[in-house]
Amino acid sequence: MMKTVRAAFLTTLPVMTGYLAVGVAFGLLLQKSGYGVAWAALSSVLVYAGSMQFVLVGLLADGSGFVAVAMVTLFVNLRHFFYGLSFIDTFRAMGRRRPYMIFALTDETYSILCTAKPPEDVDGKAYFFWIALLDQSYWVAGSIAGSLAGSLIPFDMTGLGFAMTALFLVLLVEQWEAFRTHEPVFVGLASALGAVLVFGRGNLLLPALVTIVVVLLLMKKRLTREAYAPPTPPAPADGPEAGGAP
Amino acid sequence: MSALLLHALGIVLVTAAMTFVTRSAPFVLFGKKRGTPPIVLFLGTYLPPAILAMLVVYGLKDVRLLAYPYGLPELIGVATVVGLHVWKRNYLLSIFVGTAAYMVAVQWVFQGTL
């Protein structure tokens, strides 16, 4: 098992950097609005959704009604619906670990799992599970640390959050290489930039995702042509074949 | 426990429940059947590169191109990450050196930006 944990730990090091930094910011913010370490820990263990937890700080401060909270959460997190589509077969094979894998599918864990390849002598399912679990542990640790001591951090953390963007970039380079066609990448870029222009910087994710889904579906015939070659689907090495070229 | 704290606890629990609903919906809809619908398989295969491109834009969404420092720290960071990764294929190296380059840029080179 140690070999699996070690492999997963190395894979998640970039997420550790980003989650600790952003988690600290969340814990500090929550603490400043009057909710201490127990609240930071509780929301990072139970909710575990980065951007939604920052929204949660505001909801708690306002004492919002439950229906409003439910609607806001649904809207902010709706993008996760599309993340799950890539892992339906992969997670189905993961047995009792499946509920946790679904619960823990954040933007960052999703990104890592899309390209993660377990080392040859490591159980792919356990490797995926440890990636998800380690990621959440960084987030919880960061939140708690931020709540307890966020204002005491001795060095300037400005810019550390770029680690998250760097992670997305690296994974994008990997995806670029894994596919023979780069058109989905351009669809993603154009949709996101268009969403910024139309809906503003603050609400780009959901409109961008809807556009991506619609455009990809319109391009289905073109993308699945023989000449474009099937990409490698995300799946643990020992899992069942997850899809392949449809 | 006071009514106020109880309400706050309720807010956290509702947020947690609804987050899980959004994450589990595709598995509830498509996970039970033997075969996943072809359209879902297609999206599942082709969404990741598009979504990652979108997340990169999301990470850079607060860049102001028309005011000092004109997105130069981000350009330095992005170029370092992509250049290093294409060259060395080492995740950690690309991410750590790229983030360090960005931090140096925003903290020391282009001061007065934040």
Side-chain angles (χ1 to χ4, degrees):
Chain A
M1 188 180 93
M2 278 321 291
K3 206 182 271 177
T4 314
V5 178
R6 191 169 165 276
F9 175 69
L10 290 175
T11 308
T12 56
L13 272 176
V15 179
M16 182 172 84
T17 318
Y19 269 14
L20 284 178
V22 183
V24 163
F26 165 73
L28 182 61
L29 192 68
L30 192 64
Q31 193 260 333
K32 279 187 170 161
S33 73
Y35 291 89
V37 63
W39 292 93
L42 189 73
S43 46
S44 288
V45 168
L46 291 182
V47 180
Y48 186 37
S51 44
M52 187 54 220
Q53 283 182 236
F54 281 92
V55 177
L56 177 66
V57 176
L59 296 174
L60 284 171
D62 297 343
S64 308
F66 294 149
V67 176
V69 171
M71 296 302 291
V72 169
T73 310
L74 198 62
F75 194 72
V76 173
N77 283 334
L78 208 53
R79 67 180 184 283
H80 289 125
F81 176 82
F82 299 104
Y83 294 176
L85 294 180
S86 301
F87 291 102
I88 287 175
D89 289 345
T90 310
F91 287 0
R92 185 191 280 133
M94 291 189 64
R96 63 198 160 84
R97 299 189 183 108
R98 183 171 179 262
Y100 182 77
M101 295 306 293
I102 295 171
F103 161 79
L105 198 58
T106 59
D107 303 76
E108 290 73 18
T109 300
Y110 166 82
S111 312
I112 292 259
L113 293 184
C114 278
T115 38
K117 297 255 178 342
E120 280 191 5
D121 50 347
V122 158
D123 170 24
K125 288 167 199 161
Y127 171 73
F128 267 37
F129 175 73
W130 277 100
I131 286 176
L133 190 64
L134 284 171
D135 281 355
Q136 188 179 14
S137 69
Y138 308 142
W139 179 250
V140 172
S143 313
I144 290 174
S147 181
L148 290 178
S151 43
L152 305 176
I153 286 171
F155 67 94
D156 189 350
M157 299 217 306
T158 308
L160 194 55
F162 188 79
M164 229 70 268
T165 309
L167 172 67
F168 295 142
L169 267 174
V170 165
L171 296 169
L172 180 62
V173 171
E174 294 288 326
Q175 288 283 312
W176 180 276
E177 308 273 329
F179 282 72
R180 198 175 288 179
T181 169
H182 303 315
E183 285 170 14
V185 173
F186 293 113
V187 170
L189 283 177
S191 304
L193 291 173
V196 170
L197 290 177
V198 178
F199 297 94
R201 300 162 196 266
N203 332 286
L204 81 96
L205 288 178
L206 198 54
L209 257 171
V210 172
T211 314
I212 288 171
V213 170
V214 170
V215 175
L216 284 183
L217 285 176
L218 290 174
M219 293 170 70
K220 184 166 186 280
K221 220 170 199 165
R222 179 185 170 82
L223 288 173
T224 46
R225 273 191 322 208
E226 199 62 26
Y228 279 67
T232 329
D238 62 344
E241 283 302 312
Chain B
M1 195 180 250
S2 77
L4 204 67
L5 281 184
L6 213 57
H7 186 76
L9 185 64
I11 290 177
V12 173
L13 292 179
V14 169
T15 308
M18 291 310 284
T19 301
F20 188 68
V21 165
T22 59
R23 286 186 184 151
S24 58
F27 298 93
V28 172
L29 287 176
F30 307 116
K32 283 273 164 61
K33 287 179 220 145
R34 262 274 178 86
T36 310
I39 198 92
V40 174
L41 285 180
F42 165 77
L43 282 177
T45 309
Y46 286 90
L47 272 176
I51 286 179
L52 282 167
M54 175 194 78
L55 288 172
V56 167
V57 174
Y58 178 70
L60 299 171
K61 72 181 159 56
D62 294 317
V63 179
R64 296 285 189 274
L65 291 176
L66 298 177
Y68 180 84
Y70 308 104
L72 284 175
E74 285 76 14
L75 186 67
I76 291 170
V78 169
T80 310
V81 172
V82 174
L84 263 180
H85 200 68
V86 170
W87 180 33
K88 289 284 185 187
R89 293 271 139 199
N90 182 326
Y91 284 77
L92 295 180
L93 189 76
S94 317
I95 289 166
F96 283 118
V97 177
T99 304
Y102 178 76
M103 289 178 78
V104 168
V106 286
Q107 288 187 21
W108 291 324
V109 182
F110 304 96
Q111 280 184 346
T113 55
L114 287 168

